[in-house]
Amino acid sequence: MAELEGLEFGKSDFVLLDEVTMEQFMENLKLRFEKGRIYTYIGEVVVSVNPYRQMDIYGKDTIDAYRGRELYENPPHLYAVSDAAYKAMKRRAKDTCIVISGESGAGKTEASKYIMQYIAAITNPSQRVEVESVKNVLLKSNCVLEAFGNAKTNRNDNSSRFGKYMDINFNFNGEPTGGHINNYLLEKSRVVQQHDGERNFHSFYQLLRGGSDEMLESLHLQNDPAAYIYTKEGAATATSSNDRSSHRAVMSALEVIGFSPEEINSIYQILASILLLGDVRFESDGESVQILGLEAVGHVSELTATEADSVCKSLLFRTVATGGGDVIEKGHSEQDACFGRDAFVKALYERLFGWIVSRINSVIEVKDYDPALHGKNTVIGVLDIYGFEIFDNNSFEQFCINYCNEKLQQLFIELILRQEQGEYQREGITWQHIDYFNNQIIVDLVEQPHKGIISILDEACLSVGKVTDTVCLESMGTKLAQHPHYTSRKLSPTDKTMDFQKHFRIRHYAGDVTYSIEGFLDKNKDLLFQDFKRLMYNSANQVLKEMWPDGQLSITEVTKRPLTAATLFKNSIVALVDKLGCKEPYYVRCIKPNEMKSPVLFDDARCQHQVAYLGLMENVMVRRAGFAYRQHYARVLQRYKMTCEYTWPNHLMGSDREAVEAIVTQHGFQDDVAYGHTKLFVRTPRSLFTLEQERAALIPILVLFLQKVWRGALARRRCRRMRAIYAIMGCYKRYKVKAHFREVERRFANVRNLADYGKSVEWPTPPVALSQFHNNTVMLHRRWWARQIVKNIPPSDMLEVRAKVAALTALSGDRKDWGVSRAWERNYLANVRDCPQTSSGFARVTKELRNKDEYSQVLFSGFCRKVNRFNKSTDRGLLITDKCVYKLEPKKQYKVLKRLPLDAFTGLSVTAGVDQMVALHTSCQDDILLCLQRGELCTNQDRVGELVGALVDHFTRLLLKNTC
């Protein structure tokens, strides 16, 4: 639980006041303002007092402190109501909206920026690129819209001169996916005229003071707002450094949003054109009107990509279609030319602002959204609209602005006061009715069909003939004479605060406002000559052309009379109220503490007036006597049934109400709830929070349980599937094995009768499971095949066959020719043909050696050439028996020159060529190098293979004998 404020800061919720009186309300509000606590609750409504200074309560640590917490867990803050709206949207998939209201200078624009900042900070923890892009555009759009839609007034240095409602779209996971911005009634008259001490829109000063020298030169502008008619009034009311830094921020924001360099350049070309048009002067010679100094017109022509002659013609003439279809040009008077120029400039800026808003919407609007694929798309709306205004001179703009505030106050009354009390009565909840002022009578005064002020203005604009503002005022006085909230000097002759034929007064919910009728009809008609529309539509600049689609109509085309400005505004405000009415509202009620913009001054009378007309006292009384939360029994049961043993997983009671009563009884909240006909009413948020805490604690347990059940189901399904797979695999393997056996049997059924005993038969490819068996079968067949071949060999030839097999095993692939195709005699020295003159001497020597060494078999004998370490060679005889190796001297009757035991030899080496070189290796490293030939080798007389085969066969049989 977060640490709450101490009593020295007053009551953090006006509902907790000891007595609900204006005195105690104001005393608590003033104490908290002086202690630096600018936010106070009325239940879920936040009352915000403008501190007129920077406060360190909006950083990351503060955001983390309010993230996911309930309203009463932390001190009052904008972040708390923002989080409440976000949680309601995410938990219940309910569209919500945050309505920020209060008079001009009360801090509404700053509040909306902090709300946007908080929503951006708590969403998209995974830092998905596309979501971050949407958040950046939403945040940067504030900077751009402030520059082009805000201005300094006598009451507020950053006053919104337009209304803004922003819808932020969220996906099922609570991440922003897009949005949409609606703008209402830009105060375009400010472009051409401002009150004393006020400024034009920020964008002009930011351009003139923040634009680079190259940029200003290309736009034909000077770095001085005082040099231009439209900006000289506010040229000295703000520091240059603020405008310069703001200009850099706006340029950066435009790039982040996605404006192209060409589009950004077009925006500032239009601003420059407006400033230059303001300096255009007209002179009349009695018959016609001329433009003084055509240099500015040339610059405007260049900046708007139009012909200079066309610009001059549009400023000086008006093209009119007669009843017969003829087209004539009607020259302006000097006054009409100035009026037309100002109307054109206002329309140009208004369309520029509208185009910027639509361009931002094209970036952030959700495209190709499929609810079935992406889940429900929920919305949080943020309304930042101009506050109630009372100036020394109140004109058409103030009339529309104050009407808008009347509609919003009516919505507040409808949802918070009248609707809430009506719901208690419908649900049968015991309730003491609380009286409040219903401003429906004032709304009807303005918008009622045929009788309201807007209808009277429209009727005057549509009338044929010369209808002046004074005539319209007379008509209003006649039709509204009996209305309790309307008066004029004619109806109240003794009230000298109003002038005859000029002023009328409306008693608004926020106080009496005196309006000057002058200019009402012209502003309501919003007249703009068609020549200017065609001029802009024919521009070579595509941005300008896109802003003026109605310029494509020719002068002879009959078009329907457009709706008046007041009717258009009324329709848009009615649509806005309908849009807000279908969402769950959260309110921020802003209060302006003083008119001096002082961070320490608290004007009691001024603040008390705001508290009264905002209906905050009635709100406190309704909240004190009412309930913080109400919901249908089925929804309550669905959300909290897991917290009660009698309702989880399903209850067996007669109705959902009985099940909800069981939940409430188990938690001991009987004294804090009331049971309606269809809904449960909970008085304090703490009871609801206790339920939420227990639910949050149980959810992980339920999730684990569901995961366990689901994982078990998945495991059982996987097990059944694996068993089926193994069964199928077993059947398939058996099939493949049997098929393989049948194929082998078919191919080798008659091999006994084949000449090669099946050697040429190709074996079928075995299954993987029979790989080893296949190898063994092939080996068995080869052995059988070899046995069939060997059994036909005479016993006398077996010794030679074994030697050749041994040689094949040892030399196969290493020596191309090793004498396999000839007969091997082995004992060549005993062969008379090989050496007839000395055969008897060799026979005598072998007999002596057999008696002496007791050998049983001659493995190899023959002539050779021995090579010693000095590369000298001599002819010798070589005798190898199963006991020893002998080096003989053929010239001396085969005298034994050297005798070595056969087991002293560790191996032999031969070459891969056709030579007869052999190296016999001994364990004493006294190797013997021989060449098994004397003289030139005859064809097919290779004896290396024979020597190798004889030795390998002997040692193999000796090894097998010792093993056995």
Side-chain angles (χ1 to χ4, degrees):
M1 187 68 70
E3 183 180 352
L4 298 180
E5 298 172 319
L7 294 177
E8 67 273 15
F9 299 110
K11 301 292 178 62
S12 61
D13 194 328
F14 286 113
V15 175
L16 303 177
L17 291 175
D18 297 330
E19 295 181 12
V20 184
T21 62
M22 182 62 78
E23 291 74 17
Q24 284 210 9
F25 190 101
M26 294 304 301
E27 181 181 339
N28 189 63
L29 186 67
K30 182 176 182 180
L31 174 62
R32 291 183 62 77
F33 175 76
E34 292 173 346
K35 294 290 187 179
R37 299 302 190 266
I38 63 173
Y39 299 118
T40 314
Y41 290 140
I42 303 177
E44 292 184 348
V45 176
V46 175
V47 179
S48 171
V49 183
N50 193 340
Y52 286 116
R53 59 188 171 95
Q54 293 294 326
M55 301 190 71
D56 188 21
I57 57 173
Y58 304 103
K60 183 179 183 301
D61 293 340
T62 309
I63 291 174
D64 292 338
Y66 283 85
R67 185 198 307 263
R69 309 305 287 267
E70 299 299 325
L71 276 173
Y72 67 86
E73 288 189 84
N74 284 313
H77 202 289
L78 279 175
Y79 291 167
V81 74
S82 304
D83 195 79
Y86 179 74
K87 283 186 296 190
M89 178 275 299
K90 191 174 180 182
R91 287 176 180 173
R92 305 197 297 271
K94 175 75 174 176
D95 290 346
T96 61
C97 64
I98 302 174
V99 180
I100 309 168
S101 58
E103 67 178 49
S104 180
K108 300 184 299 302
T109 299
E110 290 300 310
S112 70
K113 288 195 289 188
Y114 288 130
I115 289 170
M116 293 288 296
Q117 170 189 315
Y118 180 81
I119 293 174
I122 65 173
T123 54
N124 193 32
S126 58
Q127 297 294 304
R128 288 175 52 201
V129 176
E130 61 272 20
V131 177
E132 284 299 304
S133 176
V134 171
K135 284 164 51 175
N136 287 337
V137 172
L138 290 173
L139 291 175
K140 293 297 184 182
S141 66
N142 281 328
C143 175
V144 175
L145 295 179
E146 275 191 27
F148 289 88
N150 287 25
K152 179 190 179 300
T153 66
N154 291 321
R155 290 189 166 195
N156 186 358
D157 288 345
N158 189 32
S159 177
S160 296
R161 308 318 300 163
F162 73 106
K164 179 182 71 175
Y165 174 75
M166 177 183 290
D167 267 336
I168 308 171
N169 298 88
F170 295 85
N171 61 15
F172 71 97
N173 203 29
E175 296 173 341
T177 57
H180 184 84
I181 298 172
N182 292 99
N183 65 295
Y184 303 94
L185 191 66
L186 178 73
E187 189 190 22
K188 58 184 179 181
S189 62
R190 180 170 293 273
V191 176
V192 299
Q193 185 178 9
Q194 306 92 41
H195 294 292
D196 292 342
E198 297 189 352
R199 294 209 316 175
N200 208 323
F201 291 101
H202 294 325
S203 55
F204 293 106
Y205 303 94
Q206 292 172 3
L207 169 62
L208 295 175
R209 287 175 169 153
S212 64
D213 294 339
E214 295 80 8
M215 182 181 189
L216 293 177
E217 183 179 355
S218 67
L219 298 175
H220 308 290
L221 296 177
Q222 305 175 37
N223 187 8
D224 182 14
Y228 301 97
I229 298 295
Y230 290 160
T231 55
K232 68 178 182 180
E233 179 65 37
T237 58
T239 61
S240 300
S241 58
N242 288 342
D243 287 325
R244 282 194 291 270
S245 60
S246 297
H247 179 71
R248 290 193 295 270
V250 170
M251 292 289 285
S252 174
L254 289 170
E255 293 177 3
V256 170
I257 291 171
F259 285 82
S260 66
E262 294 76 15
E263 290 174 331
I264 295 174
N265 189 48
S266 295
I267 289 171
Y268 287 105
Q269 285 176 340
I270 294 172
L271 290 182
S273 299
I274 290 172
L275 292 174
L276 294 172
L277 282 169
D279 289 345
V280 172
R281 289 290 172 266
F282 302 96
E283 182 182 38
S284 174
D285 58 5
E287 294 184 359
S288 61
V289 177
Q290 302 295 329
I291 297 176
L292 294 178
L294 295 177
E295 183 180 4
V297 174
H299 294 331
V300 170
S301 170
E302 176 187 339
L303 294 171
T304 58
T306 56
E307 296 293 334
D309 291 342
S310 299
V311 175
C312 291
K313 186 175 179 181
S314 299
L315 290 171
L316 297 175
F317 297 93
R318 177 186 177 189
T319 305
V320 180
T322 65
D326 297 329
V327 177
I328 61 173
E329 289 186 353
K330 183 179 179 182
H332 289 314
S333 65
E334 185 176 347
Q335 181 180 359
D336 288 343
C338 292
F339 173 81
R341 184 267 319 275
D342 289 347
F344 173 49
V345 164
K346 290 188 290 185
L348 193 57
Y349 192 82
E350 182 184 38
R351 300 215 181 188
L352 170 64
F353 186 77
W355 178 83
I356 290 174
V357 173
S358 64
R359 183 69 178 79
I360 295 173
N361 284 334
S362 69
V363 176
I364 62 176
E365 281 181 338
V366 180
K367 302 175 182 67
D368 301 326
Y369 189 85
D370 184 1
L373 181 63
H374 302 97
K376 187 178 186 300
N377 185 356
T378 48
V379 170
I380 293 180
V382 180
L383 177 65
D384 170 24
I385 206 160
Y386 16 57
F388 192 84
E389 293 185 346
I390 306 177
F391 295 149
D392 294 334
N393 181 29
N394 300 290
S395 188
F396 180 77
E397 291 79 13
Q398 282 68 49
F399 170 76
C400 292
I401 288 171
N402 292 340
Y403 160 68
C404 172
N405 280 269
E406 290 284 358
K407 291 291 288 185
L408 293 178
Q409 177 67 7
Q410 184 190 30
L411 178 67
F412 178 78
I413 292 171
E414 176 74 21
L415 297 178
I416 301 300
L417 303 178
R418 186 167 69 85
Q419 193 177 86
E420 184 157 345
Q421 295 192 84
E423 184 175 34
Y424 295 148
Q425 294 174 0
R426 288 192 305 273
E427 290 289 330
I429 303 297
T430 303
W431 177 259
Q432 183 178 356
H433 185 75
I434 296 172
D435 293 327
Y436 56 88
F437 171 69
N438 190 339
N439 71 331
Q440 181 64 47
I441 187 173
I442 305 175
V443 173
D444 289 342
L445 169 65
V446 176
E447 69 176 18
Q448 189 175 12
H450 310 299
K451 297 180 181 179
I453 295 176
I454 292 179
S455 293
I456 296 172
L457 288 173
D458 288 352
E459 184 180 343
C461 291
L462 296 175
S463 298
V464 179
K466 188 68 173 179
V467 180
T468 63
D469 294 326
T470 304
V471 174
C472 181
L473 182 61
E474 292 289 337
S475 178
M476 289 166 54
T478 302
K479 295 182 179 182
L480 303 174
Q482 303 303 317
H483 200 287
H485 289 267
Y486 175 87
T487 188
S488 64
R489 182 65 186 274
K490 181 179 179 180
L491 299 177
S492 302
T494 58
D495 188 351
K496 296 184 179 181
T497 58
M498 294 185 289
D499 296 337
F500 284 106
Q501 299 183 345
K502 181 178 181 181
H503 293 137
F504 68 94
R505 181 176 296 153
I506 297 178
R507 188 174 300 161
H508 287 283
Y509 77 95
D512 295 351
V513 181
T514 302
Y515 297 98
S516 173
I517 195 66
E518 293 178 355
F520 259 61
L521 292 184
D522 288 338
K523 292 177 180 178
N524 190 38
K525 291 177 183 177
D526 197 20
L527 184 62
L528 179 65
F529 299 141
Q530 188 73 17
D531 302 76
F532 291 115
K533 298 178 182 179
R534 288 195 296 274
L535 174 68
M536 293 295 97
Y537 180 76
N538 293 321
S539 168
N541 187 320
Q542 289 302 313
V543 174
L544 266 173
K545 189 180 184 72
E546 185 180 339
M547 293 180 192
W548 299 83
D550 47 348
Q552 61 183 318
L553 298 176
S554 68
I555 192 63
T556 57
E557 291 185 69
V558 179
T559 59
K560 190 176 180 180
R561 185 187 293 269
L563 295 176
T564 62
T567 299
L568 288 172
F569 182 69
K570 180 191 75 172
N571 294 342
S572 65
I573 294 302
V574 169
L576 170 64
V577 170
D578 291 341
K579 185 180 293 186
L580 296 175
C582 66
K583 294 178 171 60
E584 184 173 322
Y586 292 82
Y587 284 92
V588 179
R589 310 291 265 173
C590 298
I591 292 178
K592 186 176 183 179
N594 59 77
E595 294 288 349
M596 310 301 294
K597 304 175 186 175
S598 168
V600 295
L601 181 61
F602 188 88
D603 187 336
D604 293 80
R606 188 81 183 81
C607 293
Q608 183 172 331
H609 176 67
Q610 296 174 73
V611 169
Y613 76 68
L614 288 173
L616 299 185
M617 287 294 296
E618 292 86 351
N619 192 6
V620 173
M621 287 186 279
V622 171
R623 197 66 186 181
R624 250 172 105 98
F627 298 87
Y629 175 82
R630 74 288 314 273
Q631 191 56 266
H632 290 281
Y633 291 120
R635 293 290 298 273
V636 175
L637 181 63
Q638 180 184 8
R639 186 164 185 81
Y640 301 113
K641 64 181 181 179
M642 71 285 297
T643 65
C644 178
E645 58 183 328
Y646 303 110
T647 57
W648 178 259
N650 295 300
H651 70 86
L652 301 176
M653 301 176 190
S655 65
D656 288 346
R657 172 173 174 167
E658 293 179 22
V660 172
E661 288 180 4
I663 296 174
V664 171
T665 302
Q666 178 164 322
H667 291 86
F669 298 153
Q670 301 93 319
D671 298 333
D672 199 40
V673 302
Y675 299 100
H677 299 314
T678 63
K679 293 182 180 180
L680 173 72
F681 292 80
V682 182
R683 189 175 301 279
T684 62
R686 188 172 298 275
S687 298
L688 185 66
F689 180 62
T690 302
L691 285 173
E692 285 289 339
Q693 275 188 317
E694 186 164 346
R695 179 181 182 274
L698 289 172
I699 286 297
I701 299 173
L702 295 177
V703 169
L704 287 176
F705 173 74
L706 293 174
Q707 286 178 340
K708 180 184 72 172
V709 172
W710 179 241
R711 286 171 180 165
L714 288 179
R716 287 188 289 273
R717 186 171 69 179
R718 191 180 301 114
C719 181
R720 290 193 297 270
R721 185 178 298 170
M722 292 302 295
R723 285 177 179 172
I725 290 172
Y726 285 133
I728 295 172
M729 288 174 59
C731 292
Y732 183 70
K733 285 181 179 178
R734 286 192 293 273
Y735 161 75
K736 293 291 288 184
V737 168
K738 291 179 181 179
H740 179 70
F741 286 163
R742 286 194 293 269
E743 182 65 17
V744 171
E745 183 181 5
R746 184 185 67 79
R747 294 189 184 190
F748 289 86
N750 198 34
V751 292
R752 292 180 182 274
N753 301 325
L754 297 178
D756 61 354
Y757 297 105
K759 181 180 179 182
S760 61
V761 176
E762 184 180 357
W763 285 82
T765 304
V768 177
L770 292 180
S771 298
Q772 188 61 40
F773 177 81
H774 174 74
N775 295 335
N776 295 337
T777 305
V778 172
M779 182 60 66
L780 288 174
H781 175 262
R782 286 177 179 173
R783 289 181 178 179
W784 175 83
W785 171 81
R787 192 177 300 114
Q788 298 303 313
I789 299 298
V790 169
K791 73 180 182 180
N792 295 323
I793 300 175
S796 59
D797 295 339
M798 284 303 298
L799 187 64
E800 180 182 351
V801 170
R802 283 201 304 268
K804 287 186 176 181
V805 170
L808 175 65
T809 304
L811 297 177
S812 178
D814 294 327
R815 189 176 177 95
K816 182 178 180 181
D817 185 14
W818 45 274
V820 65
S821 59
R822 65 176 180 83
W824 288 0
E825 299 182 14
R826 289 202 179 199
N827 197 352
Y828 290 97
L829 293 179
N831 191 332
V832 177
R833 288 173 301 172
D834 188 73
C835 187
Q837 67 274 23
T838 59
S839 60
S840 59
F842 177 74
R844 179 182 54 78
V845 171
T846 55
K847 184 177 181 180
E848 292 175 357
L849 292 177
R850 183 188 299 272
N851 294 332
K852 181 179 178 181
D853 295 331
E854 299 180 349
Y855 70 83
S856 60
Q857 182 183 6
V858 174
L859 301 180
F860 183 83
S861 70
F863 289 106
C864 65
R865 184 176 293 276
K866 179 184 178 297
V867 182
N868 63 12
R869 69 185 65 183
F870 302 109
N871 200 24
K872 292 183 179 180
S873 60
T874 54
D875 292 334
R876 292 286 186 263
L878 176 66
L879 173 63
I880 301 176
T881 68
D882 57 355
K883 292 291 184 179
C884 298
V885 176
Y886 303 95
K887 181 172 67 173
L888 307 177
E889 172 57 73
K891 296 179 181 180
K892 297 182 179 181
Q893 297 295 315
Y894 294 99
K895 177 182 176 181
V896 177
L897 300 179
K898 191 172 184 178
R899 170 183 174 278
L900 289 173
L902 187 61
D903 55 7
F905 289 89
T906 59
L908 80 163
S909 299
V910 299
T911 67
V914 297
D915 58 82
Q916 301 295 296
M917 299 298 294
V918 176
L920 299 174
H921 306 293
T922 64
S923 58
C924 60
Q925 296 184 352
D926 186 15
D927 296 349
I928 299 173
L929 182 61
L930 304 171
C931 180
L932 298 180
Q933 67 182 43
R934 186 175 59 180
E936 188 174 347
L937 182 67
C938 297
T939 305
N940 199 21
Q941 288 297 308
D942 189 301
R943 296 178 181 176
V944 171
E946 189 173 354
L947 174 61
V948 171
L951 290 176
V952 171
D953 177 56
H954 170 73
F955 281 108
T956 300
R957 285 188 288 113
L958 185 64
L959 181 62
L960 290 174
K961 181 180 179 181
N962 293 335
T963 302
C964 295

